[in-house]
């Protein structure tokens, strides 16, 4: 292999320099003291296109490139005896292909790589140069380098990439553009920056963009085992650290299909015939048939155009087996990246966007964000969108009131002068273009944005006039006396438009208020406290109007936000007023009629009017008082009685009215409140007035008391005494005093006859002038049960059931009995009607609410398989087989000369209905037929029946000699009978 490498280099006129590198094979990935950088190299050697990680270590002469995969291929370069690694040194620019068997290719102007992958420390200082991109100029002049879409990096004219500030890397990506200033042609490459891991043994896997396809069909070799030197100098077999580059296939290809992608080959195909295959989604799994492989040559092809938006990456596995199906190589993973094409137009999330911004917003104020999406790869220019505003309507107060962030879609204000009172909304046409906004190659789409200018309180309310006028009659409240109108340019029915009115002067006692009419925003000046014309004839109010919302900054209330209101008070005829009202008077009851109590007069509030007042009585329930019409003197016209039902808690109220002679007349009322003091003017009475007693009381007595309407000390304690007359009272009764309130009545004799007795009792109160009264106690003497309760009718009457009540109860009982009797009679009549109706209806035809009973066993369909020919009437009947008569047991019945009418046979075994109707008709027309209700006795079966005779059942003492096979022809039920009787011994 080393000789082939040397021969190839001589053929191409290249020089391969071999230098020793002082790094041990087992420790060079762990000792980074000599390793300064890791790069990727693309080697094309003998139709193989491989990408290898290369570690650069510094020697005394020039950099050495060491790659583990390269060492596996170039094993003769390793000197195992010395323990050193021999590595190749590229002559010329690092990272360029070492060998190319196809010879020199035409110069292609552009970056040497589409993607660069470098590994750096996480922290980069400001101004640090960390990478150098390589550009092939092909002798066509220099290009200008620039870093796109970032403010963190800067590219010099030599392709060196610098940092513009201190950076903490998190896996960054830098786009570097090269522009020909004459032709304006642009080239692009990516620099992927990976953060160096702390574990130096960690390898960075190859990314999908790490490989590029050459013009020659690349080859992928199955990995094989190679020798590895241990630290002690011995060898071991280990798997090669092979990184297979992804295959990049552009989507929407228009080439001829199938299109070749790569050739998969095994080194073992030199010794034996192999068969290649691929598996995975896109090959033998859905979607199937996209990728196919030539089983002999291993050439992998794609069969149709790919769509990255549907599937962006395919993961396949390649297999190599011999002709017997035995696996000769371990499967290898193949990654196929679908390269994006700009085949999707940007789409806005909505066709109409709505936003808002307060009026008066300063330039730079955020308004809203519009968003569009592109199904193309967002990591490429195909999916990178740029926004711009195409038009603005209206164009006042500036044609460019808004601007848009071309990357984020944020709309902000750029000019001052947003005034809702002039322009309520703006309509913008927004365009989104992919290819980073390139108008030539990018695809575009538009959307409409409506920006509503929201109101702020930048216009204070202003009164329409400086002075308002109003008038109101005195003593009126909750009356609107003036409408205060203002103008406000802000949006109606918002806090910035709704006005709040305040009285700032002229109303120290708070007699007025100004609520706001929510519909018109007017101030309604209202009287909330009564005003006396005789005290205030006019008011001069100062009113101020403000909005519910605070005024915007730098806006102050103008002079027009305050006004003056002149209010005139109108005089009216007021009612006379009694004073005091009510007027209380305390006096003893029993005052005789005609006594003067007091003078109750009213005053007229209308001091500036000369009016006459007249008095009258309005309310006097007991009619005890009167008032003088002119001077208001009040006197009694009846005796005042504290015990009257019109007196409540010793108080008696009388209402009087005073009326003037004004126009119109006015009147007022006043109340005299009499407080009546008690005097001893009522004698006591026995209580309760009625009691019950048994004929023969068992040492029991009755406790009684007295009631006196007067109050103490004109009431109790009481004294009780039996009257002296009639003379039998004290002979039959005894009365003993228990205390000042109660006495005890008892019998002096053993028993009394049943009846009602009136016992006179003298009761005397304790007033200053005591009053006595003979009060009769009604005592009912009755027969008692063992509980001591009365049992006679008088007891019932005493309990409250009078004669009228008992009569009413008896009448109700009689009415109830009559209703029950009528109901029973109605039920019997209803039963008779039902029975009569049932006689008119055949019970068999009356199917209402009846249970129909059937004695036919019927079953499944096989039970319907009857031989209906048995129901046919024979064509010829013997005359002697139709006799009807009385059953004789000693001889065969004789036949009469007449015959029944012959019935025709049914035309068809299935026409049973017609057969039955014809038979019924023949029977009805038979003159010899007996009445339908006579007993018909049949003892002769007749002859000529197609079913045969059953007499054989009685002609033999045994059924063994009978032939029952004919029963099988009668249907499934008779087949069972035939099996029972005709089955022989079984």
């Amino acid at each position: 292999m080393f000789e082939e490498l040397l021969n190839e280099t001589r053929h191409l006129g290249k020089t391969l320099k071999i230098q020793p590198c002082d790094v041990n094979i087992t420790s060079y990935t762990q000792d980074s003291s000599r390793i300064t950088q890791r790069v990727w190299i693309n080697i094309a050697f003998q139709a193989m296109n491989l990408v290898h990680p290369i570690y650069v270590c510094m020697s005394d002469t020039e950099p050495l490139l060491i790659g583990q995969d390269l060492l596996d291929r170039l094993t003769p370069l390793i000197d195992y005896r010395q323990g050193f690694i021999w590595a190749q040194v590229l002559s010329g620019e690092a990272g360029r292909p070492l060998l190319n068997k196809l010879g020199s290719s035409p110069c292609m102007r552009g970056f040497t790589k589409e993607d660069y992958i470098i590994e750096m420390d996480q922290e980069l200082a400001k101004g640090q140069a960390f990478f150098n991109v390589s550009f092939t100029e092909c002798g066509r002049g220099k290009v200008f380098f620039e870093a796109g879409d970032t403010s963190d990096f800067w590219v010099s004219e030599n392709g060196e990439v610098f940092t513009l500030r201190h950076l903490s890397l998190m896996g960054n990506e830098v786009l570097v553009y090269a522009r020909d200033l004459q032709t304006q042609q642009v080239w692009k490459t990516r620099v992927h920056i990976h953060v160096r891991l702390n574990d130096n043994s960690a390898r960075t896997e190859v990314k999908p963009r790490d490989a590029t396809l050459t013009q020659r069909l690349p080859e992928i070799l199955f990995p094989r085992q190679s020798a590895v030197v241990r630290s002690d100098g011995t060898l071991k077999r280990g798997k090669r650290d092979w990184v297979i580059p992804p295959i990049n296939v552009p989507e929407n290809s228009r080439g001829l299909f199938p299109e070749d992608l790569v050739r998969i080959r095994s080194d073992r195909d030199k010794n034996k015939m192999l068969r290649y295959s691929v598996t995975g989604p896109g090959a033998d799994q859905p979607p199937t048939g996209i990728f196919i492989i030539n089983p002999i040559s291993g050439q992998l092809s794609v069969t149709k155009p790919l769509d990255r938006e549907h599937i962006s990456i395919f993961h396949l596995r390649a297999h190599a087996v011999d002709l017997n199906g035995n696996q000769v190589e371990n499967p290898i993973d193949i990654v196929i990246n679908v390269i994006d094409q700009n085949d999707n137009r940007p789409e806005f999330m909505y066709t109409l966007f709505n936003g808002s911004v307060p009026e008066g917003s300063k330039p730079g104020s955020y308004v809203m964000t519009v968003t569009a999406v592109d199904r193309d790869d967002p990591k490429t220019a195909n999916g990178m969108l740029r926004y711009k505003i195409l038009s603005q309507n209206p164009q006042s107060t500036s044609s460019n009131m808004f601007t848009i962030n071309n990357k984020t879609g944020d709309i902000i204000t750029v000019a001052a002068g947003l005034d809702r009172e002039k322009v309520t909304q703006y309509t913008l046409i927004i365009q989104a273009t992919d290819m980073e906004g390139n108008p030539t190659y990018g695809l575009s789409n538009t959307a409409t944005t409506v920006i509503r200018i929201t109101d702020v309180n930048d216009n204070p309310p202003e009164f329409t006039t400086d002075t308002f006028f109003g008038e109101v009659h005195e003593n009126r409240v909750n009356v609107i006396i003036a409408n205060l109108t203002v103008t406000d340019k802000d949006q109606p029915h918002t806090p910035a438009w709704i006005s709040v009115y305040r009285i700032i002067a002229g109303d120290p006692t708070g007699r007025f208020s100004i609520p706001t009419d929510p519909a018109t925003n007017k101030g309604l000046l209202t009287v909330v406290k009564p005003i006396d014309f005789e005290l205030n004839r006019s008011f001069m109010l100062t009113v101020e109007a403000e909005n519910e919302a605070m005024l915007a900054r730098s806006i102050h209330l103008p002079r027009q936000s305050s006004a003056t209101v002149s209010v005139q008070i109108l005089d009216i005829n007021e009612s006379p007023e009694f004073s005091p009202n009510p007027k209380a008077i305390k006096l003893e009851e029993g005052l005789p009629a005609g006594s003067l109590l007091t003078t109750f007069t009213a005053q007229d509030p209308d001091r500036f009017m000369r009016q006459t007042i007249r008095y009258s009585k309005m309310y006097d329930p007991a009619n005890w008082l009167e008032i003088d019409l002119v001077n208001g003197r009040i006197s009694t016209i009846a005796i005042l009685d504290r015990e009257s039902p019109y007196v409540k808690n010793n108080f008696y109220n009388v209402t009087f009215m005073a009326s003037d002679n004004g126009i119109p007349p006015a009147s007022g009322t006043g109340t005299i409140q009499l407080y009546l003091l008690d005097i001893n003017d009522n004698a006591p009475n026995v209580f309760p007035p009625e009691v019950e007693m048994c004929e023969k009381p068992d040492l029991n007595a009755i406790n009684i008391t007295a009631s006196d309407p007067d109050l103490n000390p004109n009431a109790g304690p009481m004294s009780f005494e039996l009257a002296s007359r009639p003379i039998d009272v004290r002979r039959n009764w005894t009365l003993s005093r228990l205390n000042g309130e109660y006495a005890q009545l008892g019998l002096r004799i053993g028993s009394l006859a049943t009846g009602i007795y009136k016992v006179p009792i003298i009761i005397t109160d304790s007033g200053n002038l005591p009053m006595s009264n003979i009060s009769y106690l009604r005592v009912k003497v009755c027969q008692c049960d063992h509980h001591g309760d009365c049992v006679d009718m008088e007891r019932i009457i005493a309990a409250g059931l009078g004669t009228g009540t008992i009569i009413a109860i008896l009448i109700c009982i009689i009415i109830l009995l009559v209703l029950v009797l009528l109901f029973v009679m109605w039920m019997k009549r209803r039963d008779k009607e039902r029975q009569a109706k049932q006689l008119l209806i055949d019970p068999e035809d009356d199917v209402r609410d009846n249970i129909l009973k059937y004695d036919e066993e019927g079953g499944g369909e096989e039970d319907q398989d009857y031989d209906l020919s048995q129901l046919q009437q024979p064509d010829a009947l013997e005359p002697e087989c139709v006799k009807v008569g009385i059953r004789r047991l000693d001889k065969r019945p004789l036949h009469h000369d007449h015959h029944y009418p012959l019935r025709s046979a049914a035309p068809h075994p299935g026409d049973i209905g017609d057969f039955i109707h014809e038979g019924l008709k023949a029977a009805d027309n038979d003159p010899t037929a007996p009445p339908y209700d006579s007993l018909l006795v049949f003892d002769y079966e007749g002859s000529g029946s197609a079913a045969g005779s059953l007499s054989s059942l009685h002609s033999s003492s045994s059924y063994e000699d009978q032939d029952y096979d004919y029963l099988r022809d009668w249907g499934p039920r008779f087949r069972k009978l035939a099996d029972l009787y005709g089955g022989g011994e079984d």
Side-chain angles (χ1 to χ4, degrees):
M1 191 177 206
F2 182 68
E3 293 296 334
E4 293 178 359
L5 181 62
L6 292 178
N7 293 334
E8 190 69 17
T9 56
R10 295 192 190 99
H11 177 73
L12 297 175
K14 303 290 185 179
T15 301
L16 179 62
K17 297 182 180 180
I18 306 300
Q19 294 286 344
C21 182
D22 189 16
V23 179
N24 189 280
I25 188 171
T26 60
S27 62
Y28 81 93
T29 58
Q30 301 172 358
D31 183 10
S32 60
S33 60
R34 300 287 305 278
I35 298 176
T36 60
Q37 188 179 4
R38 186 183 72 168
V39 298
W40 297 84
I41 185 170
N42 188 356
I43 297 180
F45 177 69
Q46 291 189 346
M48 293 184 298
N49 187 30
L50 304 178
V51 177
H52 299 278
I54 304 299
Y55 291 86
V56 179
C57 64
M58 299 304 298
S59 178
D60 294 338
T61 56
E62 51 188 320
L64 302 178
L65 304 182
I66 305 173
Q68 180 63 44
D69 293 320
L70 186 61
L71 296 178
D72 290 340
R73 288 296 184 184
L74 306 178
T75 52
L77 299 180
I78 302 175
D79 188 353
Y80 295 103
R81 295 169 298 174
Q82 301 294 331
F84 293 99
I85 299 176
W86 295 81
Q88 62 178 357
V89 178
L90 295 179
S91 59
E93 184 176 314
R96 296 291 298 276
L98 177 63
L99 302 174
N100 192 337
K101 189 175 181 179
L102 299 177
S104 59
S105 58
C107 181
M108 297 295 294
R109 194 180 187 195
F111 289 99
T112 57
K113 292 185 180 181
E114 293 181 357
D115 297 83
Y116 292 88
I117 299 178
I118 62 174
E119 183 172 328
M120 300 296 296
D121 294 331
Q122 186 174 12
E123 301 294 328
L124 293 180
K126 179 179 180 181
Q128 179 179 347
F130 62 95
F131 188 71
N132 188 2
V133 296
S134 179
F135 186 87
T136 303
E137 298 176 353
C138 297
R140 301 181 186 177
K142 287 186 172 295
V143 294
F144 174 77
F145 296 99
E146 60 182 353
D149 297 338
T150 180
S151 60
D152 298 332
F153 304 97
W154 172 73
V155 185
S156 69
E157 61 180 1
N158 297 325
E160 293 179 289
V161 183
F162 295 84
T163 60
L164 294 177
R165 62 183 181 88
H166 179 271
L167 295 177
S168 181
L169 300 179
M170 298 293 293
N172 297 53
E173 178 180 288
V174 184
L175 284 174
V176 180
Y177 295 88
R179 183 187 303 274
D180 191 333
L181 299 180
Q182 295 181 354
T183 63
Q184 295 299 319
Q185 186 176 359
V186 178
W187 295 265
K188 180 179 65 174
T189 186
R190 282 184 175 85
V191 179
H192 303 273
I193 307 174
H194 293 175
V195 179
R196 180 177 291 123
L197 302 177
N198 294 330
D199 184 4
N200 296 325
S201 62
R203 297 289 187 91
T204 302
E205 294 185 359
V206 178
K207 300 300 178 183
R209 303 184 187 91
D210 293 341
T212 57
L213 296 177
T214 63
Q215 297 177 353
R216 189 172 179 178
L217 186 65
E219 248 185 22
I220 296 178
L221 291 178
F222 281 90
R224 55 188 175 84
Q225 302 293 333
S226 61
V228 179
V229 180
R230 296 188 177 94
S231 58
D232 56 0
T234 61
L235 297 179
K236 74 169 183 178
R237 299 290 292 177
K239 272 191 176 181
R240 179 175 32 192
D241 186 12
W242 189 301
V243 180
I244 298 176
I247 301 172
N248 297 325
V249 180
E251 66 172 335
N252 305 325
S253 175
R254 298 183 180 179
L256 298 177
F257 293 98
E259 181 179 348
D260 298 336
L261 299 180
V262 71
R263 180 186 177 194
I264 300 173
R265 189 175 66 84
S266 172
D267 290 342
R268 302 178 186 273
D269 60 358
K270 298 179 181 179
N271 302 325
K272 59 177 69 177
M273 294 292 292
L274 300 181
R275 292 295 183 265
Y276 301 96
S277 64
V278 290
T279 59
D284 62 339
Q285 299 177 18
T288 60
I290 297 179
F291 299 98
I292 59 175
I293 190 171
N294 189 314
I296 298 176
S297 63
Q299 183 170 299
L300 181 65
S301 305
V302 60
T303 61
K304 61 182 179 180
L306 303 180
D307 186 2
R308 191 205 67 84
E309 287 70 38
H310 180 55
I311 300 178
S312 61
I313 187 170
F314 293 89
H315 293 274
L316 305 178
R317 300 202 78 186
H319 307 268
V321 298
D322 58 17
L323 297 180
N324 295 325
N326 299 321
Q327 178 177 311
V328 297
E329 297 282 6
N330 291 328
I332 60 174
D333 294 328
I334 300 176
V335 177
I336 299 177
N337 287 327
V338 183
I339 304 303
D340 185 44
Q341 302 291 328
N342 191 19
D343 57 343
N344 289 279
R345 189 178 298 275
E347 296 291 341
F348 281 93
M349 300 294 293
Y350 307 99
T351 57
L352 178 65
F353 291 85
N354 291 285
S356 62
V357 62
E359 63 175 331
S361 297
K362 296 181 179 179
S365 300
Y366 172 80
V367 180
M368 60 183 299
T369 300
V370 295
T371 305
V373 295
D374 196 317
R375 295 181 60 195
D376 291 325
D377 189 357
K379 297 180 180 179
T380 65
N382 300 331
M384 296 181 180
L385 306 182
R386 297 296 182 266
Y387 302 91
K388 72 175 182 179
I389 299 176
L390 296 181
S391 65
Q392 170 191 307
N393 184 37
Q395 296 187 359
S396 61
T397 55
S398 172
S399 59
N400 294 313
M401 295 294 296
F402 305 94
T403 186
I404 188 171
N405 188 309
N406 64 344
K407 294 182 181 179
T408 63
D410 294 341
I411 299 177
I412 60 175
T413 60
V414 293
L418 291 174
D419 190 351
R420 190 203 64 84
E421 287 73 35
K422 295 181 179 179
V423 179
T424 58
Q425 70 179 24
Y426 290 88
T427 301
L428 307 180
I429 304 300
I430 308 299
Q431 182 186 63
T433 307
D434 57 17
M435 295 299 292
E436 301 178 296
N438 190 313
T440 303
Y441 304 104
L443 302 177
S444 301
N445 209 340
T446 60
T448 302
T449 300
V450 176
I451 301 176
R452 183 172 55 89
I453 309 302
T454 59
D455 188 36
V456 298
N457 193 13
D458 57 346
N459 293 282
E462 298 180 0
F463 284 100
T464 56
T465 182
D466 293 336
T467 304
F468 295 88
F469 299 93
E471 59 183 19
V472 63
H473 290 90
E474 62 175 333
N475 300 325
R476 299 286 300 275
V477 294
N478 298 324
V479 177
I480 299 175
I481 60 178
N483 291 328
L484 311 182
T485 56
V486 296
T487 59
D488 196 320
K489 298 179 182 179
D490 292 320
Q491 186 174 358
H493 306 290
T494 62
W497 176 80
I498 298 175
S499 298
V500 178
Y501 300 87
R502 294 186 302 111
I503 300 175
I504 59 178
D507 184 23
T509 57
R511 299 180 181 273
F512 301 92
S513 69
I514 310 178
T516 303
D517 185 357
T520 61
N521 204 27
K522 293 180 179 180
L524 307 179
L525 181 60
T526 307
V527 180
V528 295
K529 292 181 181 181
I531 302 175
D532 191 354
F533 173 81
E534 285 70 28
L535 299 178
N536 302 98
R537 297 188 178 187
S538 65
F539 291 87
M540 188 64 67
L541 307 177
T542 302
V543 180
E544 184 180 71
E546 295 179 345
N547 292 124
E548 286 186 352
M550 296 290 295
L551 280 174
R553 293 183 178 180
S554 72
I555 303 296
H556 302 283
L557 281 175
R559 182 188 60 80
Q560 292 81 359
S561 293
S562 60
T564 301
V565 182
S566 176
V567 179
Q568 297 296 324
I569 308 301
L570 304 180
D571 188 23
I572 61 174
N573 184 22
E574 298 178 78
S575 302
E577 298 178 355
F578 286 93
S579 180
N581 189 16
K583 184 175 183 179
I585 301 175
K586 182 183 292 187
L587 71 163
E588 290 184 348
E589 65 174 332
L591 191 68
S595 301
L596 180 63
L597 295 182
T598 186
T599 300
F600 195 31
T601 59
Q603 303 296 327
D604 193 349
D606 298 318
R607 295 176 296 175
F608 304 100
M609 298 181 183
R610 296 182 177 272
Q611 298 181 139
T612 303
I613 298 178
R614 293 292 181 264
Y615 302 95
S616 62
K617 184 173 65 174
M618 288 188 63
Y619 177 75
D620 184 8
N623 197 23
W624 287 346
L625 305 179
E626 66 178 359
I627 189 170
D628 188 88
L629 179 66
V630 177
N631 54 30
R633 292 180 179 179
I634 298 175
S635 59
T636 62
I637 58 176
I639 298 175
L640 305 181
D641 186 7
R642 191 197 64 82
E643 289 75 30
S644 171
Y646 301 106
V647 177
K648 306 297 180 183
N649 298 325
N650 300 334
F651 284 97
Y652 180 74
N653 295 328
V654 182
T655 303
F656 300 95
M657 182 175 65
S659 303
D660 61 17
N661 59 349
I663 301 175
S667 61
T669 60
T671 300
I672 292 293
Q673 196 172 61
L674 299 179
Y675 184 81
L676 300 178
L677 301 176
D678 184 42
I679 63 175
N680 193 15
D681 58 345
N682 293 281
N685 292 301
V686 67
F687 185 84
E690 294 182 0
V691 294
E692 293 180 356
M693 180 178 291
C694 297
E695 291 178 330
K696 298 179 179 181
D698 296 335
L699 301 178
N700 61 347
I702 299 173
N703 294 333
I704 61 174
T705 185
S707 63
D708 193 335
D710 294 327
L711 301 176
N712 290 329
N714 296 322
M718 305 289 183
S719 63
F720 301 88
E721 181 184 1
L722 289 173
S724 59
R725 292 181 181 277
I727 59 176
D728 59 345
V729 172
R730 295 190 176 185
R731 185 173 64 242
N732 296 335
W733 304 92
T734 63
L735 183 65
S736 59
R737 184 175 182 273
L738 297 179
N739 51 39
E741 300 293 335
Y742 291 93
Q744 192 174 69
L745 178 66
L747 282 176
R748 186 181 296 276
I749 60 179
S751 63
L752 281 177
T754 302
I756 299 176
Y757 300 86
K758 293 184 178 180
V759 180
I761 300 174
I762 301 174
I763 305 175
T764 305
D765 60 20
S766 300
N768 189 11
L769 294 175
M771 293 191 69
S772 298
N773 181 35
I774 299 177
S775 180
Y776 289 89
L777 177 64
R778 183 182 176 91
V779 181
K780 297 179 180 180
V781 179
C782 59
Q783 295 179 358
C784 299
D785 56 13
H786 62 281
H787 296 294
D789 298 327
C790 291
V791 296
D792 53 357
M793 183 59 68
E794 293 183 358
R795 168 65 177 168
I796 298 176
I797 297 175
L801 295 178
T803 304
T805 305
I806 296 174
I807 294 174
I809 292 175
L810 293 177
I811 293 175
C812 292
I813 293 174
I814 293 173
I815 293 175
L816 182 62
L817 292 175
V818 171
L819 292 176
V820 172
L821 181 61
L822 292 176
F823 178 76
V824 172
M825 295 175 63
W826 177 76
M827 291 296 294
K828 288 184 177 182
R829 183 177 180 182
R830 184 180 178 186
D831 292 341
K832 290 181 179 180
E833 291 179 355
R834 286 184 178 178
Q835 293 176 1
K837 188 178 295 184
Q838 288 178 355
L839 293 176
L840 300 176
I841 300 175
D842 188 355
E844 294 182 357
D845 296 336
D846 188 9
V847 295
R848 296 172 298 173
D849 301 328
N850 293 331
I851 298 177
L852 302 181
K853 299 181 180 179
Y854 299 92
D855 57 354
E856 183 180 41
E857 292 186 355
E861 296 180 355
E862 61 179 4
D863 290 342
Q864 308 302 326
D865 188 14
Y866 299 116
D867 186 5
L868 300 180
S869 63
Q870 305 300 323
L871 298 177
Q872 298 181 11
Q873 184 173 349
D875 295 335
L877 296 176
E878 296 181 3
E880 58 271 20
C881 68
V882 294
K883 179 186 177 188
V884 177
I886 299 177
R887 186 170 181 265
R888 295 288 301 272
L889 299 177
D890 54 343
K891 66 178 182 178
R892 182 174 181 175
L894 298 177
H895 304 291
H896 296 284
D897 294 337
H898 60 270
H899 303 281
Y900 289 119
L902 294 180
R903 302 171 186 175
S904 60
H908 189 271
D911 197 3
I912 303 301
D914 295 339
F915 174 78
I916 294 175
H917 286 295
E918 291 178 5
L920 179 62
K921 183 177 181 182
D924 293 338
N925 297 328
D926 186 7
T928 62
Y932 70 92
D933 56 348
S934 63
L935 177 64
L936 301 181
V937 180
F938 299 91
D939 59 348
Y940 184 70
E941 297 180 359
S943 61
S945 175
S949 176
L950 300 178
S951 60
S952 59
L953 295 175
H954 303 280
S955 62
S956 176
S957 60
S958 175
Y959 59 86
E960 294 179 355
D961 55 350
Q962 299 296 325
D963 184 11
Y964 297 99
D965 292 338
Y966 63 90
L967 295 176
R968 301 181 184 277
D969 301 332
W970 290 7
R973 291 185 176 272
F974 293 96
R975 292 196 193 106
K976 187 67 175 179
L977 188 62
D979 292 338
L980 293 175
Y981 286 89
E985 296 179 356
D986 296 336

